[in-house]
Amino acid sequence: MAEQSIKAIILCSWGATSSQLAKKVEEAAKKRGVEAQIYAGGTSDFKDKAAEYDVALLEPQVRHLRKEVNRIAEPHNIPVELVDQRAFALMDGDKVLDQVLNMAE
Amino acid sequence: MIQWLEDHLMEPLGKIAQNKYLQSIRDAFVIFALPIIITGSIFLIIANPPDEISGMPVLGPLVDAWVNAVEPIQAQLLFPFNLTFGIMAITVAFGVGYSLAQRKDDMDSVMAGILSMLAFFMTAFPVVDIEEIAFGEILAVLGGEGLFVAIILSILVTELMDFLTKRGFTFEMPASVPPYVVRSFRVVVPFMIILPLVWALQWIVYANFELTLPQAIMAMFQPLVTASNTYWAALGMILVMMVLWGMGIHGMNVVSSVVYPFWMSQLAANADAVAAGEQATGIVTEPFFHMFTHIGGSGVTLGLAIFMLFSASIQIKQVGKTSIVPSIFNINEPLIFGLPIVLNPILFIPFVMAPVVVVTINYIMFATGVMPPVVVQPPFTVPLGFGGFLATGGSFMAVLIQVLNVIVATIIYYPFFKRYEKQLVKQEQADAAEENEQTSSA
């Protein structure tokens, strides 16, 4: 997996903050020379293309949707985690990238 | 405490927010109906110049010229408006069927949407002979008045289609038949069963009560629609939203998934009234919250975000920097989780109080006619000023009230914010001192 490009999706309710965070994580990846494609979207977007992703992250304000996301992710063996609350608040792309890399291992 | 919340609150709330019917209804409005009615409302505004500007020095003559220009062609200008708002319920019927089918395994979403749309269309005619009625006469039913039937019928139709298909009421084709042929044959039996069923139902209802299904159902929902437009309803909605947000759950998301049909039927009724030159009475609509209450994001935090930039606390200042730009576009999740407001007893008080006061101001301003009613639903990210102007079809008074709301909310936040800031600064100094000690002793 390490050599391949990692595909991650960050989920929120409307896709507004997640696209901002996704951009930050991609920037962080570029800086570090990590091959990663980070997508953003709502939970319904995830259902359509779940198979395409390696990992899925949920933003803290939609953690009540975790069960549904887990249900979608399970058949595809995609790990699901919550974005660290502080990293989310500061839009800390580096920290979230670490989280993505950890999950993809 | 947090664990208890996770166990006892997240589960049931998750169930509401994840309910496939509620999600499909909201998607139907937000994804399918919104672009159409935004387009339509532009023509409504063009055909109805904002007359409060009429007396003003510079803009006044411009508006007068606008009035003169549109007067002879007002009916033509209203055509796109009448058509788009007039088929809102058809769009919603398609959207509900499509979105619900997408949430099911192995269903043809487009076909489910088309079948839902057709079924709803079939219930709209207050005659038994289709040639007895002009299209314009049923537009109201296909628009705002048909919303509830469109939703209910589409859910039933899609469920029935799913049931029939899975029970084998289809023509299964041999593997050699091309996929597009298979696709149409797979749904033709459900179509042939469901459409006549709906037609028979409409016929029975009409023959016995001289009412179409949408008219009958609307009569049932009317008391609820009326109740949803009261101050107490607005207050209840904002309280639930803010308490949920205080615990870190997207309150607007949960509440709107339940009340969206009510907001939309108020909005459609307002637009119709304005087009007809009558008094619009709908107050509690989506823009009531997104444009006039959640300015800077849920909880009217725009002023707070600005103050954060100049905070003496390192943490607050840092979060302020990442929050300010999204805040301008009414997105404040980073602020809510970073300040944090979530599970923060000091900031929770103004976080509930400020929007409650702002909702009260808004309700009074709309109810007394100080600002004109909402006729347009702008996307929730439209910034302060533009949002109020757009939503009310070009009212400067609405812009002033938006600004007033931010000021009032900021005043409410300020003392609590200062107290919390003091606490953080103290802690940060203590941490720094401890660190210093460690480095000097090492």
Side-chain angles (χ1 to χ4, degrees), chain B residues 148 152 211 213-225 262:
Chain B
F148 292 99
I152 298 167
L211 279 175
L213 261 182
Q215 287 166 336
I217 301 284
M218 192 59 197
M220 272 167 57
F221 273 94
Q222 196 52 54
L224 274 178
V225 174
F262 294 95

Side-chain angles (χ1 to χ4, degrees), chain B residues 227-238:
Chain B
S228 76
N229 196 36
T230 58
Y231 172 64
W232 299 110
L235 194 66
M237 289 173 199
I238 198 73

Side-chain angles (χ1 to χ4, degrees), chain A residues 12-20 24 42-45 47-48 59-71 82-92, chain B residues 6 10-11 13-15 17-18 23 26-27 30 102-105 245 247-250 252-254 256 290 315 318-319 322-323 326 331 333-334 337-338 340 342 380:
Chain A
C12 69
S13 58
W14 310 95
T17 49
S18 56
S19 51
Q20 199 192 355
K24 294 266 182 187
T43 45
S44 49
D45 303 318
K47 198 189 165 183
D48 288 345
E59 289 193 347
Q61 74 274 24
V62 288
R63 67 181 189 279
H64 56 287
L65 301 179
R66 191 171 185 164
K67 222 173 169 186
E68 190 196 1
V69 172
N70 267 332
R71 196 172 48 79
L82 287 181
V83 176
D84 175 75
Q85 187 173 318
R86 244 193 100 65
F88 169 68
L90 297 173
M91 291 281 146
D92 188 340
Chain B
E6 290 280 346
M10 297 296 166
E11 274 286 330
L13 277 175
K15 287 227 172 78
Q18 285 168 52
Q23 279 190 336
R26 219 193 54 186
D27 284 359
V30 178
Q102 255 203 332
R103 291 185 159 79
K104 300 201 164 253
D105 300 321
W245 262 125
M247 293 179 294
I249 299 166
H250 203 303
M252 187 74 183
N253 192 337
V254 174
S256 70
H290 263 150
Q315 184 196 324
Q318 209 179 359
V319 175
T322 52
S323 301
I331 295 165
E333 278 96 335
F337 286 96
V342 171
F380 78 93

Side-chain angles (χ1 to χ4, degrees), chain B residues 300-336:
Chain B
V300 215
T301 57
L302 187 60
L304 192 62
I306 295 169
F307 276 114
M308 287 167 70
L309 286 175
F310 305 101
S311 174
S313 151
I314 303 160
Q315 184 196 324
I316 294 179
K317 201 170 172 174
Q318 209 179 359
V319 175
K321 277 186 199 155
T322 52
S323 301
I324 188 70
V325 176
S327 282
I328 292 169
F329 300 99
N330 304 323
I331 295 165
N332 68 344
E333 278 96 335
L335 186 154
I336 289 181

Side-chain angles (χ1 to χ4, degrees), chain A residues 1 6-9 11 46 50 53-58 66 69-70 72-82 99-105:
Chain A
M1 178 130 303
I6 296 169
K7 275 182 150 190
I9 184 162
L11 301 165
F46 179 53
Y53 304 107
D54 301 313
V55 302
L57 285 159
L58 271 170
R66 191 171 185 164
V69 172
N70 267 332
I72 302 167
E74 226 161 51
H76 306 288
N77 273 323
I78 303 165
V80 179
E81 270 183 29
L82 287 181
Q99 199 178 355
V100 168
L101 294 176
N102 267 332
M103 288 165 73
E105 258 172 29

Side-chain angles (χ1 to χ4, degrees), chain B residues 87-104:
Chain B
I87 58 153
M88 174 156 79
I90 294 193
T91 320
V92 166
F94 178 88
V96 170
Y98 178 92
S99 313
L100 181 58
Q102 255 203 332
R103 291 185 159 79
K104 300 201 164 253

Side-chain angles (χ1 to χ4, degrees), chain B residues 75 85 209 280 441:
Chain B
F85 271 69
F209 306 104
S441 65

Side-chain angles (χ1 to χ4, degrees), chain B residues 89 168 277 298 316 411 418:
Chain B
S298 291
I316 294 179
I411 293 171
K418 275 291 158 193

